[in-house]
Amino acid sequence: MVDDHSPAVSRELIGRAAAAISRARHVCVLTGAGISAESGIPTFRDAQEGIWARFDPLDLATPEGFERDPDLVWQWYEWRRDLVRKAEPNAGHHALATLARRVPRLTLVTQNVDGLHQRAGSTGVIEYHGNILRDRCTVEQVVAERSRDAGGGLPRCLGCGGLLRPDVVWFGEMIPRGALLLADAAAENCDVFLSIGTSSLVYPAASLGEAALRHGATVIEINPDSTDLSPRAHVVLRGPSGLVLPAVLELLP
Ligand code: BV8
């Protein structure tokens, strides 16, 4: 339970969020790196640890970065894949999987590429930026199996031998059309929009909260820090999602 004395996450605010959610016909949730922070996966704005402290994700997570040095980019992704494989979903991920069974309709859009929502039991997850654990063939532009005989070199497609890349959306790349359309429709149709663990800085994902506001949804933000969305949110729960989300569920009728 949330400590009633914590100034930023009062029981009254948790109650207001729970009341709005309990009245909702359709809840749209957008999650960012913050919901996986309590699973030990560094957020994009955390200083990258160790070797990666001197590289900028905005440089590595781009087609130009991959073109320039595919080996370095693959090292970075293999390091992150290892983190993701060792991580477990936390109470925030599990709370969202439970929430989907407590409301008439829930659409979960994630900017995260770690697959932790699915491992917590969420279904129909819209992976707005792809999934780090899948490989994509740069020639056929499809998710592909990895050839076993690439030796120590760069991973190659089992089907055509083409260079593989992680199946994620890099900066400067389009969001997959299906994800874009489904997320836009949910943001425009929902009664409650839950923005969880995102700095609301990366577009077009950050435009979903704006669309929800324009269409009259109640916007609730869960984040220990303030973001660009905070001033326009109807309810701001200033705390970690692993603590706040279970507290909101506890107060649902
Ligand atoms: C595109 C996959 C069209 C790769 C990622 C306006 C319109 C359109 C585009 C742009 C625009 N302005 C700028 C752009 C370009 C760009 C962009 O947004 N740049 C930013 C830096 C300004 N956008 C794009 O390029 C997108 N494509 O628009 O296509 C196009 C095409 C060509 C030319 C122009 C336009 C593609 C963006 C996708 C990039 N790929 N990920 C990979 O992971 O390797 S983005 C990556 O960074 C993540 O997926 C995530 O989306 C983002 C990080 O954001 P957050 O998730 O919010 O994480 P962050 O660390 O920032 O914040 C964490 C938050 O959690 C913090 O607030 C913290 O306080 C909080 N927190 C911490 N602990 C907790 C917590 N919260 C709760 N509980 C806790 N315990």
Side-chain angles (χ1 to χ4, degrees):
M1 191 51 200
V2 176
D3 165 12
D4 272 358
H5 306 294
S6 61
V9 197
S10 73
R11 192 176 174 76
E12 189 265 333
L13 280 177
I14 300 269
R16 276 176 57 195
I21 291 169
S22 66
R23 291 192 298 270
R25 180 187 41 83
H26 181 189
V27 175
C28 179
V29 182
L30 173 68
T31 61
I35 198 169
S36 295
E38 291 161 84
S39 295
I41 298 178
T43 68
F44 263 65
R45 270 147 196 78
D46 286 343
Q48 300 277 326
E49 295 150 37
I51 180 175
W52 302 110
R54 66 179 190 279
F55 296 103
D56 177 359
L58 282 174
D59 195 20
L60 292 175
T62 63
E64 298 76 16
F66 187 67
E67 179 83 25
R68 188 169 52 246
D69 191 342
D71 187 58
L72 175 65
V73 172
W74 263 117
Q75 282 182 57
W76 185 52
Y77 277 93
E78 289 301 347
W79 174 72
R80 289 175 61 197
R81 280 181 169 181
D82 193 45
L83 276 179
V84 163
R85 288 193 187 101
K86 287 175 181 157
E88 290 298 329
N90 64 58
H93 297 104
H94 288 296
L96 286 181
T98 304
L99 181 62
R101 297 191 291 272
R102 302 283 298 277
V103 295
R105 183 180 172 201
L106 184 141
T107 304
L108 175 52
V109 184
T110 188
Q111 301 172 86
N112 300 338
V113 296
D114 56 33
L116 290 184
H117 285 301
Q118 293 91 320
R119 286 174 53 197
S122 289
T123 55
V125 179
I126 298 172
E127 293 184 314
Y128 208 69
H129 292 154
N131 186 302
I132 197 170
L133 295 176
R134 291 193 300 261
D135 291 335
R136 183 171 0 127
C137 176
T138 58
V139 173
E140 299 163 290
Q141 286 305 330
V142 291
V143 172
E145 290 296 309
R146 179 173 293 215
S147 154
R148 293 276 169 268
D149 60 7
L154 291 169
R156 295 264 162 205
C157 173
L158 182 64
C160 75
L163 179 59
L164 292 176
R165 57 166 283 179
D167 187 30
V168 297
V169 179
W170 280 330
F171 290 99
E173 293 186 321
M174 302 297 280
I175 306 300
R177 185 159 175 69
L180 195 76
L181 295 175
L182 285 171
D184 280 350
E188 292 170 8
N189 172 274
C190 69
D191 315 288
V192 169
F193 185 88
L194 263 176
S195 178
I196 305 170
T198 179
S199 57
S200 298
L201 291 174
V202 172
Y203 282 82
S207 64
L208 295 171
E210 293 158 14
L213 281 167
R214 273 199 314 277
H215 285 78
T218 299
V219 172
I220 300 168
E221 180 180 63
I222 299 176
N223 193 321
D225 301 325
S226 66
T227 74
D228 282 7
L229 183 66
S230 303
R232 290 171 288 165
H234 298 95
V235 183
V236 174
L237 305 178
R238 196 53 81 229
S241 45
L243 190 71
V244 170
L245 276 169
V248 171
L249 254 69
E250 264 183 43
L251 293 188
L252 282 181

